[in-house]
Each structure stands twice: as structure tokens, then as C-alpha cells.
């Protein structure tokens, strides 16, 4: 069962509306805009979580972010190697 919907009137710059129409594909402009708004709400929620966490634990440093990116890159590389049938030491 799909979510209930409502009809809304929004105003946006014409060039943005035209670009959205061009990219919306078969699902249509309403679905495209709804997905974009849903992504923005997720980002807003994550920013709120980050703000609370940083207030409690202090800001995340650039070095910590880079270390986590490196871990993610290594994990993706190991996964790719396993998918290709090779073996990779952990």
C-alpha cells in the first residue's frame, strides 16, 4: 500500500523546475520533487544528530574523518577482491 498523498502548490525558479522536469523521467515531476525533499529531510536529520554528538563529544577532526574514509576504502577493496574470486588478507 502506498503512502497517502496530498496536492500542494510550490513556487521555485523556472530554470530549476525545467531541469527537474527534464530529469524526472517516467515517474514524473511530483515523484522527483518528493524524493529530493525526502533526501533533504534525511540530511537535516543527520545534521541535527551531528550537532548533538559534537556538543556532547566535541567536533570530529579531519584526521578522524580521513581515517574512517581509509577504512571504508580498504573494506570496499576487500569486498571487490572477494567478488572477483580472489582472496585478500584482512
Amino acid at each position: 500500500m502506498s503512502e497517502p498523498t496530498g496536492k500542494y502548490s510550490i513556487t521555485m525558479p523556472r530554470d530549476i523546475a525545467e531541469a527537474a522536469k527534464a530529469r524526472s523521467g517516467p515517474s514524473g515531476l511530483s515523484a522527483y520533487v518528493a524524493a529530493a525533499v525526502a533526501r533533504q529531510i534525511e540530511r537535516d536529520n543527520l545534521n541535527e544528530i551531528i550537532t548533538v554528538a559534537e556538543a556532547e563529544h566535541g567536533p570530529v577532526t579531519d584526521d578522524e574523518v580521513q581515517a574512517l574514509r581509509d577504512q571504508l576504502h580498504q573494506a570496499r577493496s576487500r569486498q571487490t577482491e572477494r567478488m572477483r574470486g580472489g582472496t585478500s588478507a584482512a
Side-chain angles (χ1 to χ4, degrees), residues 43-60:
R43 287 178 178 207
D44 293 344
N45 289 340
L46 286 172
N47 284 333
E48 289 173 8
I49 291 169
I50 290 168
T51 299
V52 170
E54 287 184 337
E56 185 174 335
H57 303 286
V60 178

Side-chain angles (χ1 to χ4, degrees), residues 11-74:
T11 303
M12 70 175 77
R14 183 171 286 127
D15 59 332
I16 293 174
E18 292 303 319
K21 280 183 188 178
R23 288 173 173 80
S24 63
S27 61
L29 182 60
S30 291
Y32 188 85
V33 171
V37 171
R39 280 191 305 276
Q40 184 61 49
I41 290 168
E42 288 174 353
R43 287 178 178 207
D44 293 344
N45 289 340
L46 286 172
N47 284 333
E48 289 173 8
I49 291 169
I50 290 168
T51 299
V52 170
E54 287 184 337
E56 185 174 335
H57 303 286
V60 178
T61 67
D62 290 342
D63 288 342
E64 291 169 322
V65 171
Q66 188 58 51
L68 291 171
R69 284 183 176 147
D70 292 344
Q71 287 178 15
L72 180 59
H73 178 71
Q74 290 169 5

